[in-house]
Amino acid sequence: MYVVATPIGNLSDLTERAITVLTQVDLVACEDTRHTQKLLQHLGLRKVMLSVHDHNERDRIDQVAQHLSEGRSLALVSDAGTPLISDPGYPLVQALRERGYQVVPVPGPSALITALSAAGLPTDRFLFEGFLPHKAGGRRERLEPLINETATIVFYESKHRILETLEIMTEAFGTDRKACVARELTKTFETFYHGTLADIQAALRVDTDQTKGEFVVMVAGNPEPITASAYDTEKLFRLLLAELPPKKAAAVIAELTGENKKSLYQRALEMQGKV
Ligand code: SAM
């Protein structure tokens, strides 16, 4: 089975190899047959299609495996971009690999890499978070553990929630956190908004037309993360207790880490074997 990336907007981004593979395979497994039909029509191809989407992909595994075992080749595509990247296909690829079938990637566009390549944010390390939950509470919960993340964080977002998401991100990461929002990549109205989260929110609010389309939100990593880990605290204690009485050591560590002074003092006593 070939896993074939397709354009995220501009049809000229379909690779030569993707065209060859789509031309040669016996079947095309796709998220939405009507959507993929348009792409195949553009290429002048008529193919047997098999729908593989979030709601049926587990049931399709045996069927796909049957086709492969009978010698038929198959291309897996999604509506846009690279399959499995916030798109269906993971259970199918996992199952086929476990059963020993060959799975061949045919690389091409993906909104996250396209956005990062032109955003002007660090790309040496990044964390792809995909879509946040629909409910505001769920979104806040997902952002909380990311506050101290030092790598660039990449999210997908739809036009329905982009403003609300930016608002919640501003609350979580702070108004001054650097970010970039890429809208309608590779399409006529491609736009990059960059600056602080507050700047971007303001720019998007000015023109409601700007909230139409598809979005990739990239948030720069935290330049000043709070690094005090349990291990650091342990080490700090050992160093300070060699020089200071427990109460003073606990006060210094509380100041540095924001941890509770009383419980730190208790720990200092335990470490000194006084409790
Ligand atoms: N598999 C796709 C990929 O490789 O990028 C992603 C599919 S996901 C269902 C769709 C989301 O990807 C959109 O809601 C948007 O966040 C992002 N996206 C896809 N195409 C885009 C584009 N042309 N411009 C900006 N974001 C896009």
Side-chain angles (χ1 to χ4, degrees):
M1 185 178 80
Y2 297 91
V3 181
V4 183
T6 59
I8 54 168
N10 191 326
L11 280 181
S12 309
D13 291 335
L14 193 65
T15 67
E16 226 174 288
R17 187 164 167 233
I19 297 172
T20 307
V21 167
L22 288 172
T23 307
Q24 290 176 351
V25 289
D26 299 303
L27 295 114
V28 176
C30 55
E31 203 180 347
D32 179 340
T33 50
R34 276 170 308 172
H35 194 100
T36 300
Q37 183 68 45
K38 284 186 200 150
L39 178 75
L40 295 175
Q41 253 166 17
H42 169 79
L43 297 173
L45 299 173
R46 284 168 76 92
K47 290 282 160 184
V48 177
M49 286 190 281
L50 187 71
S51 75
V52 174
H53 47 70
D54 285 340
H55 305 292
N56 73 356
E57 60 179 326
R58 283 176 197 281
D59 305 331
R60 287 286 197 224
I61 293 169
D62 287 341
Q63 208 177 340
V64 170
Q66 178 84 19
H67 282 299
L68 295 173
S69 65
E70 288 171 5
R72 281 183 282 278
S73 59
L74 202 125
L76 172 71
V77 299
S78 60
D79 283 355
T82 303
L84 279 82
I85 308 300
S86 293
D87 263 342
Y90 164 63
L92 181 61
V93 170
Q94 185 201 32
L96 293 183
R97 280 223 171 273
E98 274 173 8
R99 295 182 194 189
Y101 291 99
Q102 208 185 345
V103 180
V104 182
V106 180
S110 186
L112 95 108
I113 299 296
T114 309
L116 274 174
S117 72
L121 292 176
T123 51
D124 52 337
R125 288 171 54 242
F126 62 85
L127 178 67
F128 178 55
E129 279 287 319
F131 287 101
L132 289 171
H134 286 189
K135 291 200 174 139
R139 271 182 281 174
R140 280 197 186 92
E141 231 167 79
R142 273 274 296 282
L143 293 183
E144 200 129 300
L146 300 174
I147 291 168
N148 275 318
E149 177 57 61
T150 52
T152 299
I153 319 166
V154 187
F155 303 89
Y156 280 169
E157 194 48 280
S158 76
K159 60 184 176 192
H160 306 292
R161 281 173 291 275
I162 184 70
L163 283 176
E164 207 187 315
T165 289
L166 285 171
E167 213 167 280
I168 291 173
M169 284 181 177
T170 308
E171 279 170 30
F173 300 122
T175 47
D176 293 336
R177 184 72 73 92
K178 289 255 183 318
C180 178
V181 170
R183 170 183 168 256
E184 293 287 84
L185 288 161
T186 77
K187 302 185 201 176
T188 314
F189 297 107
E190 176 180 279
T191 319
F192 280 83
Y193 301 88
H194 49 94
T196 64
L197 276 170
D199 295 336
I200 296 170
Q201 231 193 109
L204 273 161
R205 273 195 197 287
V206 173
D207 184 356
T208 47
D209 257 6
Q210 302 291 0
T211 56
K212 291 182 183 142
E214 299 186 281
F215 297 86
V216 180
V217 181
M218 294 156 283
V219 179
N222 190 339
E224 289 169 347
I226 299 165
T227 52
S229 64
Y231 171 76
D232 287 335
T233 314
E234 204 73 29
K235 193 172 172 188
L236 270 176
F237 257 129
R238 267 190 279 112
L239 291 170
L240 288 175
L241 283 173
E243 308 290 334
L244 297 171
K247 211 171 196 160
K248 281 242 164 75
V252 172
I253 295 171
E255 184 68 30
L256 282 172
T257 64
E259 280 184 58
N260 182 281
K261 208 191 292 185
K262 252 191 186 163
S263 44
L264 284 169
Y265 176 57
Q266 197 60 29
R267 239 166 93 194
L269 292 178
E270 281 165 21
M271 282 184 81
Q272 287 201 323
K274 290 188 181 164
V275 177

